[in-house]
Amino acid sequence: MAYTPTNPDRETLDPATPDRATARPASTRAAAVAAAALTVGAGLGLRAVAAGDVAKYGGDALYTVLLLTLVVAAAPRLSPARAAAIALAASWAVEFLQLSPVPAELSRRSTLARLVLGSTFNAPDLAWYAVGAAAGRLVHSALRRARRGTDTGAR
């Protein structure tokens, strides 16, 4: 973000910075929360209709998409690339944490912990998290471009 020369305490969007959202943060947050709910629904639906590797690895990709939506809800002005990178890093961190006994122990005690942390390290998950981050970034970028087109067309 750039500071305006007339008021250095007030942050404004710099139109020359392409990685900053032009949308209002409140509407971006609301859309991200709705996308998070849809992502959870997609994950539950996938588990209901698919089995084996499709359900497992599709769930891994959706896990990162969910994290991306939560990152956007928390920081709506992040670029799609930055939001995806943060979501991917968090997904990988959770997966590498599974190399320790902590997630497995927590997963034995709590269904929520099992859903969030998993229990066992699986190297192919790392690639599927990247797939989710890439897909989420593409959707986020497309939605941002569509919103910009709507915003500029209304003026």
Side-chain angles (χ1 to χ4, degrees):
M1 294 217 180
Y3 291 97
T4 59
T6 56
N7 186 354
D9 295 328
R10 185 170 167 243
E11 288 187 81
T12 60
L13 293 176
D14 180 356
T17 307
D19 68 340
R20 299 292 186 206
T22 58
R24 292 171 301 280
S27 63
T28 301
R29 277 193 180 96
V33 169
L38 287 172
T39 303
V40 169
L44 294 173
L46 181 63
R47 291 282 182 171
V49 301
D53 287 347
V54 171
K56 181 185 179 350
Y57 295 124
D60 288 344
L62 287 170
Y63 178 83
T64 303
V65 171
L66 175 61
L67 291 179
L68 189 147
T69 64
L70 297 175
V71 167
V72 172
R77 291 187 176 166
L78 281 178
S79 71
R82 288 181 181 159
I86 292 167
L88 181 58
S91 297
W92 283 353
V94 168
E95 190 67 28
F96 283 114
L97 180 64
Q98 293 170 0
L99 291 169
S100 78
V102 173
E105 181 58 33
L106 292 173
S107 292
R108 278 192 280 280
R109 297 180 191 185
S110 165
T111 301
L112 181 60
R114 186 172 56 251
L115 291 171
V116 173
L117 299 176
S119 62
T120 308
F121 178 81
N122 185 29
D125 290 352
L126 299 170
W128 288 101
Y129 295 142
V131 168
R137 177 185 177 185
L138 289 173
V139 171
H140 185 195
S141 294
L143 292 172
R144 181 179 272 193
R145 278 192 303 276
R147 176 171 273 164
R148 282 185 182 147
T150 303
D151 289 348
T152 58
R155 291 181 187 166

